[in-house]
Amino acid sequence: MNMQNGNNGRVNGAKQDFDFIWFSRLLNRPVCIGNIRNRLGKLTDLVFRLSEPHPTAVGIYLEHGWGKPTEFIPWEQVVSIDDDAIFVKPPENRSSYPPFTDQSGWILVDQHLMGRTVLDTDGRRVEVVNDVHLLHSKGRMIIVHVDVSFNGFLRKWGMGNIKWIKDRLISWRYVQPLSVEDAVTTDAVSLSVKKGEAMDLPGEDLADVLEVLSGKEQEALFSALDSEKAAETLAHAEPRAKRQIIASLRKERAYTILSELSVPQLADLFSVLPHVERENLMGLLPEKQAVKIERILSEREVTADELISQEFVTLPKEMTVGEALRRIKGLGPQFKAISYIYIVTEEKTLMGVIDLRELVLTEDDTLLEEIMVTSVVEAEEKDTREDLVELFLRYHFRMIPVVDAKDKLLGVIYHNDIIAHGLTGRARI
């Protein structure tokens, strides 16, 4: 069996009364009574009870398929964990163990941890749990680490003999529900975060976190975000989470967050709110913006010029690639979703487009007009929402420019504002 330091439970050659075990090694291992031939089934999952400082195993979960009921083997019935099988005592006074019934404070390793997201508390990006590190000692088993390395992924798929890099273990104390003040446990276990370190995580990931947290925990995390990050997270959240978050906001906080959202994002948010809350928030917006949102929410036809964003980059055709890259680097943090560079005249007439990747891969002394695509897919200012949907579905661009009758560039429309959430969620490219 694997151990963190590789000594398989031995120190200086002496056998120790403990083993470190990877959950992936136990998954699908035969569970038997007495001998290997008397097989109950294969281990489907391990059930743990949340406790401090580490969750403690309470049983083995077996699924049999073919319409047969599940079985739950209490941990005290486990006799031994061998390399080829797990041996358990026979069930008392019956032919099989009782079906599994979930209980408050219980987690299943495969269902609730494997493949789930961890907000790594030392400031790195979001990680994914590829394996769980268990400590088995004197009949007791606890969770001690999760492994977020590629090695865990290989073990999960039966390729544990291949080890590409060093295991990356995160202590269990960082892989538990978000604390509001002290540690607070919930049934939906998979995530942790130190509130001050959430700022660098993508809004999509933070939205996923909010959806599994309870009300107080959700409010604690959201309150730690600045207005821009809060708006980005809110735009990606599911309707239920949107309603919960908005209900907890003070008026001043709500105003600063709403000011960071685009018109389509605001319309999508308001569409899932109760009428009273929608009207209260609408009163915080500039009149011109509120009129646009009301029109989107009504049954009247919405046109492209009401949905455009001004977050795009234009450059002249005479500029070199090197100059363009320097210009882009100096734009500042407000430009987060640059995918294409639009080439325009002094009068803002759209002449061509350059994919940012093409720009980066081209020699610095090349003129932009040499690499721009002149046949630009564009929307007209009075195109309907249905027209825009058709354009995005046909061409699969991340954003599409909107022009007037004289080809003057008015703005852009993001794919996610139209497609991904109906009318919400700006794509992060």
Side-chain angles (χ1 to χ4, degrees), residues 34 86 150 201 314 345 352 356 414:
I86 299 170
F150 191 63
L201 296 168
T314 62
T345 66
L356 184 60
Y414 286 85

Side-chain angles (χ1 to χ4, degrees), residues 30 32 47 64 79 103 179 195 238 273 293 299 322 344 351 362:
C32 306
V47 186
H64 299 293
V79 176
Q103 296 189 30
S179 293
K195 292 185 289 186
E238 292 298 319
L273 297 180
I293 295 169
E299 295 182 355
V344 297
M351 299 180 64
T362 302

Side-chain angles (χ1 to χ4, degrees), residues 357-399:
R357 288 170 293 187
E358 178 74 15
L359 190 71
V360 172
L361 295 174
T362 302
E363 295 294 333
D364 283 356
D365 58 355
T366 306
L367 294 177
L368 297 186
E369 65 178 331
E370 297 178 45
I371 61 172
M372 72 179 184
V373 175
T374 55
S375 54
V376 184
V377 174
E378 57 193 33
E380 297 180 1
E381 59 181 324
K382 295 306 177 184
D383 281 352
T384 65
R385 187 164 52 194
E386 289 71 23
D387 295 328
L388 298 171
V389 169
E390 184 178 343
L391 281 175
F392 278 113
L393 292 178
R394 181 186 302 172
Y395 295 105
H396 305 287
F397 291 132
R398 294 180 284 273
M399 63 174 72

Side-chain angles (χ1 to χ4, degrees), residues 122-183:
D122 62 5
R124 294 192 295 268
R125 249 187 80 85
V126 168
E127 308 285 1
V128 173
V129 175
N130 287 321
D131 211 343
V132 177
H133 204 209
L134 310 170
L135 173 61
H136 185 222
S137 176
K138 297 180 180 180
R140 181 169 174 262
M141 181 174 283
I142 62 174
I143 298 175
V144 287
H145 302 94
V146 297
D147 186 8
V148 297
S149 73
F150 191 63
N151 295 329
F153 177 83
L154 294 173
R155 283 192 300 270
K156 184 169 60 175
W157 293 101
M159 296 181 285
N161 57 321
I162 304 173
K163 189 167 183 176
W164 287 17
I165 57 175
K166 184 179 179 181
D167 296 325
R168 290 182 57 204
L169 303 183
I170 300 177
S171 172
W172 171 257
R173 65 194 179 97
Y174 298 126
V175 189
Q176 51 189 313
L178 174 69
S179 293
V180 179
E181 295 178 352
D182 299 319

Side-chain angles (χ1 to χ4, degrees), residues 154-223:
L154 294 173
R155 283 192 300 270
K156 184 169 60 175
W157 293 101
M159 296 181 285
N161 57 321
I162 304 173
K163 189 167 183 176
W164 287 17
I165 57 175
K166 184 179 179 181
D167 296 325
R168 290 182 57 204
L169 303 183
I170 300 177
S171 172
W172 171 257
R173 65 194 179 97
Y174 298 126
V175 189
Q176 51 189 313
L178 174 69
S179 293
V180 179
E181 295 178 352
D182 299 319
V184 178
T185 57
T186 67
D187 295 340
V189 176
S190 63
L191 303 164
S192 72
V193 64
K194 288 183 178 178
K195 292 185 289 186
E197 295 167 348
M199 301 303 297
D200 294 331
L201 296 168
E204 299 95 321
D205 296 318
L206 287 171
D208 290 340
V209 175
L210 290 173
E211 287 156 24
V212 300
L213 296 178
S214 67
K216 288 185 178 180
E217 294 167 336
Q218 186 183 82
E219 185 176 343
L221 175 56
F222 195 76
S223 66

Side-chain angles (χ1 to χ4, degrees), residues 5 9 13 38 66 75 94 145 147 154-155 181 211 225 236 314 330 334 348 366 379 411 413-414 422 426 429:
N5 59 12
N38 191 9
W66 301 98
W75 191 254
R94 56 192 301 165
H145 302 94
D147 186 8
L154 294 173
R155 283 192 300 270
E181 295 178 352
E211 287 156 24
L225 307 178
H236 287 92
T314 62
Q334 71 272 22
K348 301 300 181 183
T366 306
I413 293 180
Y414 286 85
R426 177 168 302 166
I429 305 302

Side-chain angles (χ1 to χ4, degrees), residues 273-336:
L273 297 180
H275 179 74
V276 174
E277 286 190 6
R278 180 195 303 178
E279 291 302 309
N280 289 338
L281 292 179
M282 198 76 79
L284 301 177
L285 301 176
E287 183 179 357
K288 184 177 180 181
Q289 196 175 40
V291 169
K292 288 184 178 181
I293 295 169
E294 287 283 12
R295 185 170 181 188
I296 293 174
L297 294 174
S298 74
E299 295 182 355
R300 289 175 291 164
E301 199 166 54
V302 181
T303 54
D305 57 341
E306 296 178 278
L307 301 173
I308 57 176
S309 166
Q310 295 302 317
E311 190 175 314
F312 62 95
V313 178
T314 62
L315 294 173
K317 66 177 182 177
E318 299 84 10
M319 183 175 284
T320 66
V321 168
E323 292 170 332
L325 290 173
R326 286 190 291 273
R327 175 78 63 86
I328 293 169
K329 289 178 182 178
L331 288 176
Q334 71 272 22
F335 286 87
K336 295 187 181 67

